[in-house]
Structures are given as C-alpha cells and as structure tokens.
Amino acid sequence: GVNPNIRGVSQGGQRQSAPLWIAYYNLDTSMMRLLLEWKADVNATDSQGQTLLMAAIRDGRTFLVWPLFTHKIDVNVQDKDQVTALMKAAGKTDTDLVKDIIEQGIKDIDCTDQWGETALCWAVRSGTTAIVQLLLEAGADARFKNNRTHKT
C-alpha cells in the first residue's frame, strides 16, 4: 500500500514535509483526519524537533489539535530546545488544552527545557492562574527553582 508518511527530497537534498504536515499548513482538518485514519505518523517532527501538536500551539492553530488526540500522540516529545507541548500550552491561556495534554499522560510534569524551566514556570510567566492550578494539581513542584532566575 501507499505510505502516508513518505517525505520527498528536494534537488538540494533537504527533507520535505510529510503529507500530514502539508495538510496542517493548508489548515485542512478533513485531510488530516483522512491521513490519520491511514496511519500517518502523528508524532512526526519538523526540522526543529517539534510535533504537529507543538506547531499548532506555537502557531495559534489549536483548532487543528483535537483530531490528534484521538490517535497515539506522544505529549512527552521535547524539541531541539527541550521544550514540550505542555510547556508551550502552559505559556498560552488555553486551560482546556493544558488539561487535555495532561490527560494524555505526562511522564515528568517537572521536566525542564534547555533554560531549566518547567511547564509551571511557563504558566506563571503567562499569568494564567487556572493553568498554574491545573499543573499543581497534576503534581508540579511549587518549590522548583529554575536555572535562570532561581524562582518559580
């Protein structure tokens, strides 16, 4: 059969986007669903090590996230800066998204990015009390000190 994860290679030798990423960039949720039904890799990463979930949070396209949660999405992937989807979401104001990511199964709620910050640090910086509360209820360490400021 056809491989929905195949990536082309340009003449310059650079890796091209997989079909699922192309559907994401085209904002085509029905195409994303179709590709996911045919086992497209929901955890495929871009050149920065970001998954589609991370990209959707980064780009403010969280409406594209919900089809991903019905598949075996790995919310624990860290990109090249060791940032997770939970950290990115905690830095925004979407409480439901943070809750959904936590429910997917966070292995280490206090894992740190390359700057020594946890999802709780990102949430405190964003000022969203409800997200801070969710993270604390999920087991985040309120006494954690990051590497940069030695504050939570």
Side-chain angles (χ1 to χ4, degrees):
V2 175
N3 180 351
N5 299 307
I6 193 122
R7 296 174 188 248
V9 178
S10 70
Q11 287 184 338
Q14 291 186 317
R15 190 172 75 168
Q16 300 296 307
S17 296
L20 186 59
W21 277 89
I22 295 168
Y24 165 78
Y25 285 118
N26 289 335
L27 306 175
D28 192 340
T29 55
S30 52
M31 184 64 70
M32 287 176 66
R33 282 189 182 97
L34 176 63
L35 290 165
L36 289 167
E37 285 174 25
W38 282 88
K39 309 289 187 238
D41 184 0
V42 71
N43 296 307
T45 58
D46 65 10
S47 62
Q48 299 302 309
Q50 294 189 34
T51 63
L52 278 170
L53 175 59
M54 293 173 173
I57 296 166
R58 174 198 68 210
D59 299 340
R61 297 176 173 178
T62 54
F63 63 94
L64 294 171
V65 164
W66 311 120
L68 303 176
F69 283 127
T70 60
H71 294 79
K72 298 222 182 257
I73 191 166
D74 184 354
V75 295
N76 297 291
V77 173
Q78 290 182 283
D79 68 12
K80 286 186 175 182
D81 294 325
Q82 299 172 340
V83 174
T84 65
L86 181 61
M87 291 173 190
K88 288 181 179 290
K92 305 288 184 178
T93 59
D94 191 337
T95 307
D96 289 334
L97 180 58
V98 171
K99 184 177 179 184
D100 288 340
I101 291 171
I102 291 170
E103 288 173 356
Q104 292 294 315
I106 297 296
K107 290 180 184 168
D108 180 4
I109 195 90
D110 290 320
C111 75
T112 58
D113 60 21
Q114 76 170 15
W115 303 281
E117 295 197 334
T118 65
L120 182 61
C121 297
W122 285 61
V124 169
R125 196 173 327 101
S126 79
T128 309
T129 306
I131 293 176
V132 171
Q133 181 71 35
L134 273 173
L135 292 169
L136 291 169
E137 288 172 359
D141 185 356
R143 297 168 296 165
F144 178 85
K145 295 186 184 324
N146 70 23
N147 292 346
R148 231 188 308 191
T149 63
H150 302 292
K151 298 179 186 174
T152 299

